[in-house]
Amino acid sequence: MKRLSLYLLLTFSCLYCVAAYKPVHLKTNSHNGVYKAGEKVIVWAETGEGCADDLIFTVEENMSGTIIEKNISLKEGKTVLYSKKHKDPIHLVFKVALAENPKRNSSVGIIVAPEKFTTGFKAPGDLREFWDDQIAQMRKMPMEPVLTKVKSPDPQIECYDLMIPMPEGNPAWGYVAFPKKAAEKSLPILIYAHSAGVEQPDKRSNIETAVKDARRGNGAIAIDINAHGMPSDQPQEYYDSLAKGPLKGYHSRPIKGHDSIYFRLMYLRIVRALDYLVTLPQWDGERVLIYGRSQGGGQAGALAGIDSRITASCMEVPGMMDIGAKLDNGRKGSYPSGYAKHAEREKERAFVPYYDAAILLGMTKADIFMEAGLIDTACPAPCIAAGYNNAASPEKKILFSPYRPHSSKSIDFRHKQEWKESILDAREAFIENHLK
């Protein structure tokens, strides 16, 4: 089994290596792909030896439709492919691909006036009351945490398996870790939320992640909480059965009411876990940071609005962010795509806004950091910009990457170091600074 996994990993890595079409390199006249309204956008191709003659150049607008598609042939050197000013907010993705194999391509994205993007959904008038009531109903059930000590890879760090029953649905479940000799009221709380999926090993709580996070800053009470309230020590067959059975399509189930939206309990499990963590004597009584990527980033944004105890939220290409973007000039909405595609339908408009992280950020008082990829098709950059613009944070920062798709592992190798220095380092600094 291990050999098979290694083979698949190597195969995937090799496929990625040939995915970027090396003879063509798309560039823009903005280092981060961000433009002011009325500023000229220039995109050009730098072409090297061995470039095929039969190429396709496309431009997609707001991830909702192709506005340019044509066959081209590039000479060696620099060729300007696009030059235009835009007075209104817009997101464009440029791509040059091999006609015979479109997966081999060079892509770059730009965004004009990101500060002007607005959320598709509007905040329900009872948004705060709704979540206060959801939390109050949950808390009617006495908290009965079950702690099981587990072996820590670091002798200086305590680690426990934490399970807290919920009045409905699966329990809150994850690994908690903190320094053994921490004094009372000395540590912040650090919550890690997971990205979408069920059966993959990185979707369940991980002891190593909790312990690593417990070492951050000057030490922290860290929890790696999985999204589904599932145990983390079961055979792989257990998670495969969940993915094919009870949790199949959890993010796109038909909407019948609040009880049918899976993210309600996903959010409440984090509140429940935090209810326990704040009782630990080591907590400093002030700092709580939550972070995650994709679906995990969406949870980080949602909890920053739902739970006033969150003091900082770090969101890497967050999902659940502006799900209703279709209502804003037909833009593509963010994950979960099943909800986003039908944002104009009555049922979606009646219930989904309560779970849209972009809407919930309108209630936050936490400091926030957000990262958006300008060629990310799962969580489009305008959606993240709209959430950022709606955030009522005292301190906030958003960074865009013109060569980032949804996975940072797939960033064009020619820009990986640039992304690390300009965005990854800034993201890590945000977390570390809040924990020190």
Side-chain angles (χ1 to χ4, degrees), residues 72-120:
I72 62 171
S73 178
L74 296 173
K75 296 180 180 179
E76 190 173 336
K78 178 178 176 180
T79 305
V80 173
L81 298 174
Y82 188 90
S83 180
K84 187 175 180 179
K85 294 179 180 180
H86 296 272
K87 64 178 181 179
D88 297 317
I90 193 171
H91 172 223
L92 300 173
V93 175
F94 304 86
K95 183 184 295 184
V96 170
L98 279 172
E100 63 182 21
N101 184 5
K103 290 184 178 180
R104 294 193 65 187
N105 63 76
S106 179
S107 302
V108 70
I110 67 94
I111 190 167
V112 176
E115 73 281 358
K116 294 184 179 180
F117 281 98
T118 58
T119 59

Side-chain angles (χ1 to χ4, degrees), residues 237-260:
E237 291 77 12
Y238 172 82
Y239 304 101
D240 292 339
S241 66
L242 286 180
K244 295 175 182 177
L247 297 183
K248 183 178 180 179
Y250 69 87
H251 45 69
S252 56
R253 293 172 178 172
I255 294 175
K256 299 177 182 179
H258 287 293
D259 290 351
S260 66

Side-chain angles (χ1 to χ4, degrees), residues 360-414:
L360 291 167
L361 279 171
M363 301 191 297
T364 192
K365 294 182 180 179
D367 295 343
I368 64 171
F369 179 99
M370 302 175 80
E371 175 187 349
L374 290 172
I375 56 173
D376 184 346
T377 60
C379 303
C383 296
I384 299 172
Y388 176 84
N389 295 336
N390 194 51
S393 303
E395 297 289 338
K396 58 182 182 178
K397 185 173 188 177
I398 185 170
L399 295 178
F400 297 90
S401 175
Y403 296 96
R404 168 156 191 173
H406 193 57
S407 171
S408 62
K409 295 178 182 179
S410 299
I411 294 173
D412 189 317
F413 65 93
R414 293 166 289 201

Side-chain angles (χ1 to χ4, degrees), residues 178-187 282:
F178 49 84
K180 285 183 176 179
K181 297 181 180 180
E184 288 191 9
K185 297 186 179 300
S186 66
L187 301 176
Q282 296 93 336

